[in-house]
Amino acid sequence: MMATSEAVLQVIGGSQPCLFGSDHSFRKLGSSRTCRSFIRYRRKRVSKYVNFLNCSNTSYRAIRADHFLNTRQPVHGNIAQSYLRSMNCKCQRADSVSSTASENGTGTWFVDNDQSFDAVHGNTPSVLQFETVEELKVGEDFQSNGSLPPNGSVQDALNRIAENSIEDEAWELLRESMVYYCGSPVGTIAAQDPTSSNVGVLNYDQVFIRDFIPSGIAFLLKGEYEIVRNFILHTLQLQSWEKTMDCHSPGQGLMPASFKVRTIPLDGDDSATEEVLDPDFGEAAIGRVAPVDSGLWWIILLRAYGKSSGDLSVQERIDVQTGIKMILRLCLADGFDMFPTLLVTDGSCMIDRRMGIHGHPLEIQALFHSALLCAREMLTPEDGSADLIRALNNRLVALSFHIREYYWIDMKKLNEIYRYKTEEYSYDAVNKFNIYPDQISPWLVEWMPNKGGYLIGNLQPAHMDFRFFSLGNLWSIVCSLTTDDQSHAILDLIEAKWADLVADMPFKICYPALEGQEWQIITGCDPKNT
């Protein structure tokens, strides 16, 4: 599992200077549906680069825009011509800018001699706006006769401009969303929208455990460990809280869904104030649901922090070890449910709203499996944890078998379900959950490709939720909950059904979408579930 996690982090971070994507992906981005920000930032960066390379002995040769378009990416003619005219320079470097920039022996441009550009982080305050200038020096990237260089060098340059521009904008927005407690960063708020008045009225101005996970991973990949460390330790302090909802206390070990930094006056002194962390376990949340996934995400992020930073002192702390054990005991507690999967109520994960996933939703099972693996790696061996580790190992084996065997659906399994016998009573029954073939939705038969498969969204007695849930399937691959063959099959299905799962928008939460009366009944007409 850890080898898989490291591979995933390497894929996310990549070995290239840019963390955002490949040239191929940005060629797609530059199609007829090029986003506005891409064009806006390309104009901005190209215009600044043109001014930068304005040398006195430049020969402005007219280069037709169709020459530029032959690089397989549509670009507005004005942008292409202004860029190429400025780049078509006979000199080897822009002498007119020597007072503002210099070049070292490695080909890296400096604004000040003591500050270089970091191609990975791209946030040096005084760096030139055009990050790839060292790769586009006129004498190298353009042939001596003034024609376009081979292999689409100009195209690659524009792609790199767009990559860095979008990444810089993303980091700027992420930093604006950072929340501070006693002068130190502790997380990022759920939504940063200055045009909306609902952000402050609702709880989107709070730090959500689940929402901070992608932000935390981004900070870890960038080498900024302080905010993740503070987040882990401060949320741990909120684990035991005296708040109640309808006179009922949250279970011991429950992590809050979110928290907010509030400034309150000190007792007896109205002029002095102090900052406090105010957690929400669901008593103020929309729908009044307690979070199931917060504790699981917290364990996963804790393990990611130790692996990424190399700082294992945090996970070895006594209070952190206690926090891990409290979450595990809460999840592994005996109850009325006899399945190895984790029983949760609808609305207690994902988006805090009803989506018809009451029971044993796939997303929670994947996070549960991942958290168990991470906890096993971090728990320190001692007498008090022996029984917990034994229960953890037993649950992992049963959970893996259950998900791989009963949640998996492909064309072969679909044909088996059609042949199921119902009302079987015995230990060796084939149809263990008494699934009736009539419940198979018509869309599934038409949608299922011959090559590929996936894990269904939910499994309960006499009910299978055949919807494709993105996070559950993808995270099952990340944490090795699925077998190698199943992992490849999931990716094959995503490739085959790309138009349905992605199309012109980010990866959909689930497919297919609920519509009409079914949507009204299941979601309660909640417009945020549209």
Side-chain angles (χ1 to χ4, degrees):
M1 177 267 178
M2 299 316 302
T4 305
S5 301
E6 290 174 355
V8 170
L9 288 178
Q10 290 173 3
V11 170
I12 296 174
S15 58
Q16 301 299 322
C18 180
L19 297 176
F20 195 83
S22 64
D23 289 345
H24 177 70
S25 65
F26 276 90
R27 289 194 181 101
K28 290 184 178 179
L29 187 62
S31 64
S32 59
R33 296 187 296 270
T34 304
C35 65
R36 295 178 180 175
S37 62
F38 181 91
I39 297 175
R40 183 179 69 250
Y41 274 90
R42 181 164 57 196
R43 282 176 177 159
K44 173 183 175 183
R45 293 302 175 92
V46 169
S47 62
K48 292 186 177 182
Y49 185 51
V50 168
N51 295 331
F52 178 74
L53 289 178
N54 242 347
C55 56
S56 57
N57 56 347
T58 301
S59 64
Y60 292 94
R61 299 181 55 187
I63 301 177
R64 297 197 315 272
D66 57 338
H67 287 173
F68 189 82
L69 297 178
N70 284 336
T71 57
R72 292 185 298 165
Q73 176 152 342
V75 180
H76 295 287
N78 293 338
I79 303 175
Q81 291 183 19
S82 63
Y83 181 86
L84 292 176
R85 286 173 181 169
S86 301
M87 287 293 296
N88 188 22
C89 178
K90 293 180 180 179
C91 63
Q92 292 298 313
R93 59 180 296 178
D95 297 329
S96 61
V97 297
S98 59
S99 60
T100 58
S102 60
E103 183 186 22
N104 68 356
T106 62
T108 302
W109 286 88
F110 294 77
V111 176
D112 297 320
N113 290 331
D114 59 340
Q115 290 190 5
S116 64
F117 174 64
D118 190 335
V120 176
H121 302 97
N123 62 343
T124 306
S126 58
V127 71
L128 295 173
Q129 289 294 325
F130 188 72
E131 294 88 348
T132 56
V133 66
E134 72 276 10
E135 299 182 24
L136 289 176
K137 288 183 291 187
V138 179
E140 299 175 4
D141 274 1
F142 278 79
Q143 299 178 7
S144 59
N145 60 0
S147 62
L148 284 173
N151 301 325
S153 299
V154 174
Q155 175 60 54
D156 295 339
L158 286 179
N159 286 343
R160 287 192 294 270
I161 295 171
E163 292 176 16
N164 293 331
S165 301
I166 296 174
E167 184 182 345
D168 290 344
E169 181 185 15
W171 274 108
E172 181 180 350
L173 293 173
L174 186 59
R175 296 191 191 284
E176 289 177 358
S177 68
M178 290 173 62
V179 175
Y180 292 83
Y181 174 65
C182 297
S184 300
V186 293
T188 54
I189 61 174
Q192 176 84 359
D193 187 3
T195 63
S196 176
S197 59
N198 289 333
V199 172
V201 176
L202 300 177
N203 56 353
Y204 300 133
D205 61 342
Q206 299 189 26
V207 180
F208 277 77
I209 306 295
R210 73 169 69 94
D211 291 34
F212 179 74
I213 300 303
S215 300
I217 293 176
F219 285 120
L220 291 178
L221 291 174
K222 203 172 180 65
E224 300 182 11
Y225 306 124
E226 179 190 6
I227 184 172
V228 180
R229 184 179 188 274
N230 292 339
F231 173 85
I232 291 172
L233 294 178
H234 283 299
T235 49
L236 177 65
Q237 297 174 1
L238 304 176
Q239 192 176 24
S240 298
W241 196 255
E242 297 178 356
K243 280 192 174 184
T244 61
M245 182 172 63
D246 296 335
C247 301
H248 184 74
S249 300
Q252 189 178 31
L254 182 69
M255 281 289 186
S258 63
F259 66 87
K260 183 179 179 63
V261 179
R262 299 188 185 277
T263 302
I264 62 174
L266 286 173
D267 294 338
D269 189 356
D270 295 336
S271 61
T273 59
E274 66 173 345
E275 291 182 339
V276 297
L277 296 178
D278 185 14
D280 179 14
F281 291 93
E283 70 277 2
I286 301 173
R288 300 301 190 266
V289 287
V292 175
D293 54 352
S294 294
L296 305 176
W297 278 125
W298 184 85
I299 292 178
I300 294 170
L301 185 63
L302 174 62
R303 180 58 175 163
Y305 169 82
K307 291 288 291 184
S308 179
S309 66
D311 178 17
L312 302 182
S313 62
V314 175
Q315 68 185 43
E316 294 172 353
R317 290 175 43 153
I318 296 179
D319 56 343
V320 174
Q321 288 286 315
T322 303
I324 297 174
K325 294 175 183 178
M326 290 173 64
I327 296 174
L328 291 178
R329 290 192 179 98
L330 183 63
C331 295
L332 298 174
D334 294 331
F336 290 101
D337 188 37
M338 300 298 290
F339 296 131
T341 46
L342 200 59
L343 178 64
V344 300
T345 58
D346 203 353
S348 62
C349 63
M350 196 176 301
I351 58 175
D352 292 330
R353 280 163 177 81
R354 290 172 56 192
M355 290 190 66
I357 58 174
H358 175 85
H360 307 86
L362 175 64
E363 173 187 328
I364 291 299
Q365 314 317 319
L367 294 179
F368 185 33
H369 181 268
S370 183
L372 290 177
L373 290 175
C374 293
R376 186 171 64 179
E377 295 289 330
M378 294 186 294
L379 282 175
T380 56
E382 58 184 19
D383 296 337
S385 61
D387 293 339
L388 188 61
I389 294 177
R390 187 181 305 108
L392 184 154
N393 288 326
N394 293 336
R395 191 65 169 265
L396 272 173
V397 174
L399 179 63
S400 299
F401 175 82
H402 187 88
I403 296 297
R404 294 172 181 177
E405 181 70 19
Y406 303 122
Y407 275 65
W408 182 253
I409 186 75
D410 55 12
M411 190 60 72
K412 178 182 177 182
K413 184 66 173 291
L414 194 58
N415 290 327
E416 292 179 2
I417 297 177
Y418 270 116
R419 297 179 176 88
Y420 271 170
K421 296 179 181 178
T422 57
E423 310 300 332
E424 290 184 294
Y425 176 79
S426 64
Y427 291 103
D428 56 352
V430 177
N431 189 2
K432 291 181 171 60
F433 298 95
N434 200 33
I435 302 298
Y436 282 81
D438 293 341
Q439 73 172 265
I440 299 178
S441 303
W443 68 265
L444 179 62
V445 181
E446 301 174 358
W447 193 72
M448 179 66 70
N450 292 327
K451 180 183 179 182
Y454 66 98
L455 299 174
I456 63 174
N458 209 332
L459 176 64
Q460 299 183 73
H463 175 68
M464 297 179 74
D465 185 350
F466 292 105
R467 286 179 293 174
F468 177 92
F469 284 86
S470 303
L471 178 57
N473 276 276
L474 294 177
W475 201 261
S476 296
I477 299 176
V478 171
C479 68
S480 299
L481 176 57
T482 52
T483 64
D484 289 344
D485 291 340
Q486 289 176 340
S487 298
H488 285 289
I490 293 173
L491 297 179
D492 288 338
L493 179 133
I494 292 174
E495 183 179 23
K497 297 300 177 180
W498 187 268
D500 295 328
L501 300 177
V502 182
D504 298 328
M505 61 180 294
F507 218 112
K508 294 180 175 66
I509 293 177
C510 68
Y511 179 87
L514 299 175
E515 295 179 336
Q517 189 176 17
E518 185 182 17
W519 168 77
Q520 294 176 346
I521 294 174
I522 292 180
T523 71
C525 298
D526 191 337
K528 285 187 171 57
N529 279 20
T530 303

